[in-house]
């Protein structure tokens, strides 16, 4: 049985890492994928991936799915990793950005009518319980007037 081991190991390695799935030149593959990842990450960040236009948090999993890249490829792609790192943000930053986006969208669509929290909640998907971590970040994404209006809607 010992003489069959090397053949078995080779056959397992071949099935796990087939040549069709692995690019021959990682550097070239990395270069080729940078524009694809840049567009995908930008579309996610700016809300171009859904009907409502709601901005989303750029995550590796979402980028893999939308760009059609197999999982864990970015580990071998430093230039693409840099693109994703530019869009990296915490959940609190994403929530603040979404609240500002929802407030501005509702303010523009309402034509002078007041904006209500329940409408912002539905549109943004942000819960009131996260207000403590969101409030300090509102100034990064909105001017003082809009940030104060959002704070008053959060009852703070």
């Amino acid at each position: 049985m010992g003489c069959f081991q090397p053949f078995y190991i080779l056959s397992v390695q071949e099935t796990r890492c087939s040549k069709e799935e692995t690019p021959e030149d990682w550097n070239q593959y990395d270069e080729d994928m940078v524009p694809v990842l840049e567009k995908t990450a930008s579309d996610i960040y700016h809300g171009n991936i859904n009907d409502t236009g709601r901005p989303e948090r750029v995550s590796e999993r979402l980028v893999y799915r939308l760009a059609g890249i197999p999982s864990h490829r970015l580990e071998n792609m430093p230039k693409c990793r840099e693109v994703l790192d530019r869009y990296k943000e915490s959940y609190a930053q994403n929530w603040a950005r979404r609240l500002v986006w929802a407030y501005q969208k509702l303010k523009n669509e309402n034509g002078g009518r007041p904006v209500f929290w329940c409408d912002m909640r539905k549109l943004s998907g942000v819960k009131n319980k996260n207000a403590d971590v969101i409030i300090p970040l509102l100034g990064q994404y909105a001017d003082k007037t809009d940030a104060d209006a959002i704070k008053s809607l959060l009852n703070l």
Side-chain angles (χ1 to χ4, degrees), residues 21-50:
E21 293 178 8
T22 304
E24 293 202 15
D25 184 8
W26 277 104
N27 293 329
Q28 185 60 45
Y29 184 68
D30 191 15
E31 286 284 332
D32 294 344
M33 292 305 293
V34 166
V36 173
L37 252 65
E38 181 69 47
K39 172 137 179 44
T40 303
S42 177
D43 286 348
I44 294 168
Y45 188 84
H46 296 294
N48 298 331
I49 62 165
N50 53 39

PDB file of all heavy atoms in Angstrom, residues 21-50:
ATOM      1  N   GLU A  21      -8.693  26.477 -13.180  1.00  0.00           N
ATOM      2  CA  GLU A  21      -9.149  27.423 -12.183  1.00  0.00           C
ATOM      3  C   GLU A  21      -8.047  28.352 -11.696  1.00  0.00           C
ATOM      4  O   GLU A  21      -8.318  29.423 -11.180  1.00  0.00           O
ATOM      5  CB  GLU A  21      -9.727  26.677 -10.984  1.00  0.00           C
ATOM      6  CG  GLU A  21     -10.998  25.919 -11.295  1.00  0.00           C
ATOM      7  CD  GLU A  21     -11.513  25.160 -10.099  1.00  0.00           C
ATOM      8  OE1 GLU A  21     -10.970  25.344  -8.997  1.00  0.00           O
ATOM      9  OE2 GLU A  21     -12.452  24.381 -10.261  1.00  0.00           O
ATOM     10  N   THR A  22      -6.803  27.952 -11.820  1.00  0.00           N
ATOM     11  CA  THR A  22      -5.694  28.730 -11.290  1.00  0.00           C
ATOM     12  C   THR A  22      -5.022  29.498 -12.424  1.00  0.00           C
ATOM     13  O   THR A  22      -4.582  28.907 -13.393  1.00  0.00           O
ATOM     14  CB  THR A  22      -4.656  27.801 -10.619  1.00  0.00           C
ATOM     15  OG1 THR A  22      -5.330  27.038  -9.633  1.00  0.00           O
ATOM     16  CG2 THR A  22      -3.556  28.610  -9.980  1.00  0.00           C
ATOM     17  N   PRO A  23      -4.935  30.814 -12.292  1.00  0.00           N
ATOM     18  CA  PRO A  23      -4.254  31.573 -13.344  1.00  0.00           C
ATOM     19  C   PRO A  23      -2.763  31.248 -13.361  1.00  0.00           C
ATOM     20  O   PRO A  23      -2.165  30.997 -12.320  1.00  0.00           O
ATOM     21  CB  PRO A  23      -4.474  33.028 -12.939  1.00  0.00           C
ATOM     22  CG  PRO A  23      -5.102  33.018 -11.618  1.00  0.00           C
ATOM     23  CD  PRO A  23      -5.487  31.636 -11.261  1.00  0.00           C
ATOM     24  N   GLU A  24      -2.207  31.237 -14.561  1.00  0.00           N
ATOM     25  CA  GLU A  24      -0.787  30.910 -14.681  1.00  0.00           C
ATOM     26  C   GLU A  24       0.075  32.048 -14.167  1.00  0.00           C
ATOM     27  O   GLU A  24       1.105  31.824 -13.569  1.00  0.00           O
ATOM     28  CB  GLU A  24      -0.460  30.580 -16.125  1.00  0.00           C
ATOM     29  CG  GLU A  24      -1.136  29.312 -16.570  1.00  0.00           C
ATOM     30  CD  GLU A  24      -0.444  28.702 -17.751  1.00  0.00           C
ATOM     31  OE1 GLU A  24       0.694  29.078 -18.050  1.00  0.00           O
ATOM     32  OE2 GLU A  24      -1.062  27.838 -18.367  1.00  0.00           O
ATOM     33  N   ASP A  25      -0.322  33.276 -14.413  1.00  0.00           N
ATOM     34  CA  ASP A  25       0.460  34.425 -13.987  1.00  0.00           C
ATOM     35  C   ASP A  25      -0.388  35.271 -13.044  1.00  0.00           C
ATOM     36  O   ASP A  25      -1.261  36.022 -13.474  1.00  0.00           O
ATOM     37  CB  ASP A  25       0.896  35.232 -15.205  1.00  0.00           C
ATOM     38  CG  ASP A  25       1.797  36.388 -14.839  1.00  0.00           C
ATOM     39  OD1 ASP A  25       2.201  36.481 -13.661  1.00  0.00           O
ATOM     40  OD2 ASP A  25       2.100  37.197 -15.730  1.00  0.00           O
ATOM     41  N   TRP A  26      -0.142  35.136 -11.735  1.00  0.00           N
ATOM     42  CA  TRP A  26      -0.945  35.849 -10.745  1.00  0.00           C
ATOM     43  C   TRP A  26      -0.811  37.357 -10.899  1.00  0.00           C
ATOM     44  O   TRP A  26      -1.770  38.097 -10.682  1.00  0.00           O
ATOM     45  CB  TRP A  26      -0.542  35.432  -9.330  1.00  0.00           C
ATOM     46  CG  TRP A  26      -1.208  34.178  -8.898  1.00  0.00           C
ATOM     47  CD1 TRP A  26      -0.649  32.947  -8.822  1.00  0.00           C
ATOM     48  CD2 TRP A  26      -2.571  34.011  -8.502  1.00  0.00           C
ATOM     49  NE1 TRP A  26      -1.580  32.032  -8.398  1.00  0.00           N
ATOM     50  CE2 TRP A  26      -2.775  32.662  -8.195  1.00  0.00           C
ATOM     51  CE3 TRP A  26      -3.645  34.888  -8.389  1.00  0.00           C
ATOM     52  CZ2 TRP A  26      -3.982  32.153  -7.771  1.00  0.00           C
ATOM     53  CZ3 TRP A  26      -4.871  34.385  -7.963  1.00  0.00           C
ATOM     54  CH2 TRP A  26      -5.025  33.038  -7.670  1.00  0.00           C
ATOM     55  N   ASN A  27       0.383  37.819 -11.243  1.00  0.00           N
ATOM     56  CA  ASN A  27       0.578  39.266 -11.394  1.00  0.00           C
ATOM     57  C   ASN A  27      -0.286  39.826 -12.519  1.00  0.00           C
ATOM     58  O   ASN A  27      -0.892  40.888 -12.386  1.00  0.00           O
ATOM     59  CB  ASN A  27       2.052  39.590 -11.645  1.00  0.00           C
ATOM     60  CG  ASN A  27       2.912  39.279 -10.448  1.00  0.00           C
ATOM     61  OD1 ASN A  27       2.463  39.375  -9.307  1.00  0.00           O
ATOM     62  ND2 ASN A  27       4.148  38.886 -10.696  1.00  0.00           N
ATOM     63  N   GLN A  28      -0.344  39.125 -13.636  1.00  0.00           N
ATOM     64  CA  GLN A  28      -1.171  39.576 -14.758  1.00  0.00           C
ATOM     65  C   GLN A  28      -2.654  39.499 -14.395  1.00  0.00           C
ATOM     66  O   GLN A  28      -3.426  40.397 -14.716  1.00  0.00           O
ATOM     67  CB  GLN A  28      -0.879  38.734 -16.010  1.00  0.00           C
ATOM     68  CG  GLN A  28      -1.607  39.215 -17.238  1.00  0.00           C
ATOM     69  CD  GLN A  28      -1.232  40.639 -17.603  1.00  0.00           C
ATOM     70  OE1 GLN A  28      -0.059  40.995 -17.596  1.00  0.00           O
ATOM     71  NE2 GLN A  28      -2.212  41.463 -17.918  1.00  0.00           N
ATOM     72  N   TYR A  29      -3.036  38.433 -13.725  1.00  0.00           N
ATOM     73  CA  TYR A  29      -4.433  38.284 -13.290  1.00  0.00           C
ATOM     74  C   TYR A  29      -4.813  39.409 -12.331  1.00  0.00           C
ATOM     75  O   TYR A  29      -5.890  39.992 -12.439  1.00  0.00           O
ATOM     76  CB  TYR A  29      -4.618  36.918 -12.624  1.00  0.00           C
ATOM     77  CG  TYR A  29      -6.035  36.611 -12.230  1.00  0.00           C
ATOM     78  CD1 TYR A  29      -7.016  36.406 -13.188  1.00  0.00           C
ATOM     79  CD2 TYR A  29      -6.394  36.514 -10.885  1.00  0.00           C
ATOM     80  CE1 TYR A  29      -8.316  36.121 -12.825  1.00  0.00           C
ATOM     81  CE2 TYR A  29      -7.692  36.220 -10.518  1.00  0.00           C
ATOM     82  CZ  TYR A  29      -8.649  36.028 -11.495  1.00  0.00           C
ATOM     83  OH  TYR A  29      -9.940  35.748 -11.130  1.00  0.00           O
ATOM     84  N   ASP A  30      -3.903  39.743 -11.433  1.00  0.00           N
ATOM     85  CA  ASP A  30      -4.117  40.842 -10.493  1.00  0.00           C
ATOM     86  C   ASP A  30      -4.312  42.149 -11.256  1.00  0.00           C
ATOM     87  O   ASP A  30      -5.245  42.911 -10.995  1.00  0.00           O
ATOM     88  CB  ASP A  30      -2.931  40.929  -9.532  1.00  0.00           C
ATOM     89  CG  ASP A  30      -3.162  41.863  -8.363  1.00  0.00           C
ATOM     90  OD1 ASP A  30      -4.327  42.241  -8.111  1.00  0.00           O
ATOM     91  OD2 ASP A  30      -2.178  42.209  -7.688  1.00  0.00           O
ATOM     92  N   GLU A  31      -3.450  42.427 -12.225  1.00  0.00           N
ATOM     93  CA  GLU A  31      -3.553  43.645 -13.051  1.00  0.00           C
ATOM     94  C   GLU A  31      -4.879  43.684 -13.808  1.00  0.00           C
ATOM     95  O   GLU A  31      -5.532  44.728 -13.886  1.00  0.00           O
ATOM     96  CB  GLU A  31      -2.404  43.699 -14.065  1.00  0.00           C
ATOM     97  CG  GLU A  31      -1.070  44.039 -13.494  1.00  0.00           C
ATOM     98  CD  GLU A  31      -0.939  45.517 -13.186  1.00  0.00           C
ATOM     99  OE1 GLU A  31      -1.597  46.337 -13.848  1.00  0.00           O
ATOM    100  OE2 GLU A  31      -0.182  45.838 -12.260  1.00  0.00           O
ATOM    101  N   ASP A  32      -5.264  42.563 -14.384  1.00  0.00           N
ATOM    102  CA  ASP A  32      -6.495  42.503 -15.179  1.00  0.00           C
ATOM    103  C   ASP A  32      -7.746  42.695 -14.330  1.00  0.00           C
ATOM    104  O   ASP A  32      -8.749  43.221 -14.811  1.00  0.00           O
ATOM    105  CB  ASP A  32      -6.588  41.168 -15.921  1.00  0.00           C
ATOM    106  CG  ASP A  32      -5.505  41.008 -16.976  1.00  0.00           C
ATOM    107  OD1 ASP A  32      -4.872  42.031 -17.346  1.00  0.00           O
ATOM    108  OD2 ASP A  32      -5.276  39.870 -17.421  1.00  0.00           O
ATOM    109  N   MET A  33      -7.696  42.252 -13.088  1.00  0.00           N
ATOM    110  CA  MET A  33      -8.880  42.308 -12.230  1.00  0.00           C
ATOM    111  C   MET A  33      -9.048  43.629 -11.487  1.00  0.00           C
ATOM    112  O   MET A  33     -10.120  43.901 -10.950  1.00  0.00           O
ATOM    113  CB  MET A  33      -8.849  41.156 -11.219  1.00  0.00           C
ATOM    114  CG  MET A  33      -9.032  39.789 -11.845  1.00  0.00           C
ATOM    115  SD  MET A  33     -10.530  39.648 -12.843  1.00  0.00           S
ATOM    116  CE  MET A  33     -11.792  39.792 -11.604  1.00  0.00           C
ATOM    117  N   VAL A  34      -8.024  44.477 -11.451  1.00  0.00           N
ATOM    118  CA  VAL A  34      -8.124  45.751 -10.732  1.00  0.00           C
ATOM    119  C   VAL A  34      -9.294  46.595 -11.228  1.00  0.00           C
ATOM    120  O   VAL A  34     -10.109  47.064 -10.426  1.00  0.00           O
ATOM    121  CB  VAL A  34      -6.789  46.536 -10.780  1.00  0.00           C
ATOM    122  CG1 VAL A  34      -6.988  47.973 -10.350  1.00  0.00           C
ATOM    123  CG2 VAL A  34      -5.764  45.870  -9.887  1.00  0.00           C
ATOM    124  N   PRO A  35      -9.468  46.819 -12.559  1.00  0.00           N
ATOM    125  CA  PRO A  35     -10.615  47.630 -12.989  1.00  0.00           C
ATOM    126  C   PRO A  35     -11.969  46.989 -12.674  1.00  0.00           C
ATOM    127  O   PRO A  35     -12.934  47.684 -12.350  1.00  0.00           O
ATOM    128  CB  PRO A  35     -10.436  47.773 -14.504  1.00  0.00           C
ATOM    129  CG  PRO A  35      -9.159  47.133 -14.861  1.00  0.00           C
ATOM    130  CD  PRO A  35      -8.605  46.462 -13.663  1.00  0.00           C
ATOM    131  N   VAL A  36     -12.025  45.662 -12.740  1.00  0.00           N
ATOM    132  CA  VAL A  36     -13.272  44.953 -12.422  1.00  0.00           C
ATOM    133  C   VAL A  36     -13.618  45.151 -10.956  1.00  0.00           C
ATOM    134  O   VAL A  36     -14.759  45.469 -10.604  1.00  0.00           O
ATOM    135  CB  VAL A  36     -13.135  43.442 -12.765  1.00  0.00           C
ATOM    136  CG1 VAL A  36     -14.354  42.674 -12.277  1.00  0.00           C
ATOM    137  CG2 VAL A  36     -12.920  43.251 -14.242  1.00  0.00           C
ATOM    138  N   LEU A  37     -12.634  44.974 -10.087  1.00  0.00           N
ATOM    139  CA  LEU A  37     -12.875  45.145  -8.658  1.00  0.00           C
ATOM    140  C   LEU A  37     -13.165  46.594  -8.301  1.00  0.00           C
ATOM    141  O   LEU A  37     -13.989  46.859  -7.432  1.00  0.00           O
ATOM    142  CB  LEU A  37     -11.681  44.631  -7.852  1.00  0.00           C
ATOM    143  CG  LEU A  37     -11.961  43.332  -7.120  1.00  0.00           C
ATOM    144  CD1 LEU A  37     -12.222  42.214  -8.060  1.00  0.00           C
ATOM    145  CD2 LEU A  37     -10.882  43.024  -6.153  1.00  0.00           C
ATOM    146  N   GLU A  38     -12.501  47.523  -8.956  1.00  0.00           N
ATOM    147  CA  GLU A  38     -12.751  48.952  -8.700  1.00  0.00           C
ATOM    148  C   GLU A  38     -14.205  49.295  -9.028  1.00  0.00           C
ATOM    149  O   GLU A  38     -14.887  49.954  -8.248  1.00  0.00           O
ATOM    150  CB  GLU A  38     -11.801  49.806  -9.538  1.00  0.00           C
ATOM    151  CG  GLU A  38     -11.965  51.286  -9.340  1.00  0.00           C
ATOM    152  CD  GLU A  38     -11.529  51.763  -7.971  1.00  0.00           C
ATOM    153  OE1 GLU A  38     -10.446  51.380  -7.515  1.00  0.00           O
ATOM    154  OE2 GLU A  38     -12.295  52.539  -7.353  1.00  0.00           O
ATOM    155  N   LYS A  39     -14.695  48.840 -10.171  1.00  0.00           N
ATOM    156  CA  LYS A  39     -16.086  49.117 -10.560  1.00  0.00           C
ATOM    157  C   LYS A  39     -17.064  48.428  -9.618  1.00  0.00           C
ATOM    158  O   LYS A  39     -18.043  49.028  -9.181  1.00  0.00           O
ATOM    159  CB  LYS A  39     -16.338  48.660 -11.988  1.00  0.00           C
ATOM    160  CG  LYS A  39     -17.801  48.743 -12.389  1.00  0.00           C
ATOM    161  CD  LYS A  39     -17.998  49.285 -13.744  1.00  0.00           C
ATOM    162  CE  LYS A  39     -19.428  49.366 -14.195  1.00  0.00           C
ATOM    163  NZ  LYS A  39     -20.383  49.861 -13.253  1.00  0.00           N
ATOM    164  N   THR A  40     -16.795  47.176  -9.282  1.00  0.00           N
ATOM    165  CA  THR A  40     -17.681  46.433  -8.387  1.00  0.00           C
ATOM    166  C   THR A  40     -17.741  47.082  -7.014  1.00  0.00           C
ATOM    167  O   THR A  40     -18.831  47.305  -6.471  1.00  0.00           O
ATOM    168  CB  THR A  40     -17.212  44.972  -8.263  1.00  0.00           C
ATOM    169  OG1 THR A  40     -17.159  44.388  -9.558  1.00  0.00           O
ATOM    170  CG2 THR A  40     -18.144  44.173  -7.391  1.00  0.00           C
ATOM    171  N   ALA A  41     -16.597  47.422  -6.444  1.00  0.00           N
ATOM    172  CA  ALA A  41     -16.556  48.042  -5.117  1.00  0.00           C
ATOM    173  C   ALA A  41     -17.226  49.409  -5.142  1.00  0.00           C
ATOM    174  O   ALA A  41     -17.969  49.767  -4.229  1.00  0.00           O
ATOM    175  CB  ALA A  41     -15.114  48.164  -4.632  1.00  0.00           C
ATOM    176  N   SER A  42     -17.004  50.169  -6.192  1.00  0.00           N
ATOM    177  CA  SER A  42     -17.635  51.489  -6.312  1.00  0.00           C
ATOM    178  C   SER A  42     -19.153  51.365  -6.416  1.00  0.00           C
ATOM    179  O   SER A  42     -19.893  52.130  -5.791  1.00  0.00           O
ATOM    180  CB  SER A  42     -17.081  52.212  -7.535  1.00  0.00           C
ATOM    181  OG  SER A  42     -17.720  53.445  -7.720  1.00  0.00           O
ATOM    182  N   ASP A  43     -19.617  50.408  -7.200  1.00  0.00           N
ATOM    183  CA  ASP A  43     -21.064  50.200  -7.342  1.00  0.00           C
ATOM    184  C   ASP A  43     -21.696  49.804  -6.015  1.00  0.00           C
ATOM    185  O   ASP A  43     -22.794  50.252  -5.681  1.00  0.00           O
ATOM    186  CB  ASP A  43     -21.358  49.125  -8.398  1.00  0.00           C
ATOM    187  CG  ASP A  43     -21.140  49.632  -9.816  1.00  0.00           C
ATOM    188  OD1 ASP A  43     -20.991  50.860  -9.998  1.00  0.00           O
ATOM    189  OD2 ASP A  43     -21.115  48.800 -10.745  1.00  0.00           O
ATOM    190  N   ILE A  44     -21.026  48.970  -5.255  1.00  0.00           N
ATOM    191  CA  ILE A  44     -21.543  48.564  -3.945  1.00  0.00           C
ATOM    192  C   ILE A  44     -21.579  49.777  -3.018  1.00  0.00           C
ATOM    193  O   ILE A  44     -22.590  50.060  -2.380  1.00  0.00           O
ATOM    194  CB  ILE A  44     -20.675  47.448  -3.333  1.00  0.00           C
ATOM    195  CG1 ILE A  44     -20.775  46.167  -4.151  1.00  0.00           C
ATOM    196  CG2 ILE A  44     -21.087  47.179  -1.888  1.00  0.00           C
ATOM    197  CD1 ILE A  44     -19.732  45.115  -3.798  1.00  0.00           C
ATOM    198  N   TYR A  45     -20.488  50.504  -2.964  1.00  0.00           N
ATOM    199  CA  TYR A  45     -20.348  51.645  -2.049  1.00  0.00           C
ATOM    200  C   TYR A  45     -21.371  52.745  -2.356  1.00  0.00           C
ATOM    201  O   TYR A  45     -21.936  53.347  -1.457  1.00  0.00           O
ATOM    202  CB  TYR A  45     -18.926  52.206  -2.150  1.00  0.00           C
ATOM    203  CG  TYR A  45     -18.597  53.264  -1.133  1.00  0.00           C
ATOM    204  CD1 TYR A  45     -18.169  52.904   0.137  1.00  0.00           C
ATOM    205  CD2 TYR A  45     -18.692  54.616  -1.437  1.00  0.00           C
ATOM    206  CE1 TYR A  45     -17.853  53.857   1.086  1.00  0.00           C
ATOM    207  CE2 TYR A  45     -18.384  55.579  -0.497  1.00  0.00           C
ATOM    208  CZ  TYR A  45     -17.959  55.198   0.759  1.00  0.00           C
ATOM    209  OH  TYR A  45     -17.656  56.150   1.695  1.00  0.00           O
ATOM    210  N   HIS A  46     -21.612  53.004  -3.635  1.00  0.00           N
ATOM    211  CA  HIS A  46     -22.508  54.089  -4.030  1.00  0.00           C
ATOM    212  C   HIS A  46     -23.946  53.639  -4.270  1.00  0.00           C
ATOM    213  O   HIS A  46     -24.787  54.470  -4.627  1.00  0.00           O
ATOM    214  CB  HIS A  46     -21.967  54.783  -5.274  1.00  0.00           C
ATOM    215  CG  HIS A  46     -20.655  55.453  -5.036  1.00  0.00           C
ATOM    216  ND1 HIS A  46     -20.505  56.535  -4.201  1.00  0.00           N
ATOM    217  CD2 HIS A  46     -19.411  55.174  -5.496  1.00  0.00           C
ATOM    218  CE1 HIS A  46     -19.238  56.911  -4.168  1.00  0.00           C
ATOM    219  NE2 HIS A  46     -18.547  56.095  -4.942  1.00  0.00           N
ATOM    220  N   GLY A  47     -24.244  52.367  -4.090  1.00  0.00           N
ATOM    221  CA  GLY A  47     -25.622  51.894  -4.179  1.00  0.00           C
ATOM    222  C   GLY A  47     -26.115  51.601  -5.573  1.00  0.00           C
ATOM    223  O   GLY A  47     -27.327  51.601  -5.815  1.00  0.00           O
ATOM    224  N   ASN A  48     -25.225  51.326  -6.496  1.00  0.00           N
ATOM    225  CA  ASN A  48     -25.646  51.037  -7.871  1.00  0.00           C
ATOM    226  C   ASN A  48     -25.986  49.566  -8.090  1.00  0.00           C
ATOM    227  O   ASN A  48     -26.274  49.173  -9.210  1.00  0.00           O
ATOM    228  CB  ASN A  48     -24.539  51.450  -8.848  1.00  0.00           C
ATOM    229  CG  ASN A  48     -24.257  52.923  -8.776  1.00  0.00           C
ATOM    230  OD1 ASN A  48     -25.125  53.722  -8.455  1.00  0.00           O
ATOM    231  ND2 ASN A  48     -23.026  53.299  -9.060  1.00  0.00           N
ATOM    232  N   ILE A  49     -25.973  48.777  -7.040  1.00  0.00           N
ATOM    233  CA  ILE A  49     -26.243  47.337  -7.205  1.00  0.00           C
ATOM    234  C   ILE A  49     -27.683  46.974  -6.872  1.00  0.00           C
ATOM    235  O   ILE A  49     -28.083  45.842  -7.052  1.00  0.00           O
ATOM    236  CB  ILE A  49     -25.291  46.476  -6.351  1.00  0.00           C
ATOM    237  CG1 ILE A  49     -25.469  46.771  -4.869  1.00  0.00           C
ATOM    238  CG2 ILE A  49     -23.861  46.636  -6.784  1.00  0.00           C
ATOM    239  CD1 ILE A  49     -24.842  45.749  -3.959  1.00  0.00           C
ATOM    240  N   ASN A  50     -28.463  47.933  -6.371  1.00  0.00           N
ATOM    241  CA  ASN A  50     -29.850  47.614  -6.030  1.00  0.00           C
ATOM    242  C   ASN A  50     -30.797  48.674  -6.589  1.00  0.00           C
ATOM    243  O   ASN A  50     -30.372  49.736  -7.022  1.00  0.00           O
ATOM    244  CB  ASN A  50     -30.024  47.447  -4.517  1.00  0.00           C
ATOM    245  CG  ASN A  50     -29.505  48.633  -3.747  1.00  0.00           C
ATOM    246  OD1 ASN A  50     -29.660  49.770  -4.161  1.00  0.00           O
ATOM    247  ND2 ASN A  50     -28.891  48.384  -2.608  1.00  0.00           N
TER     248      ASN A  50
END
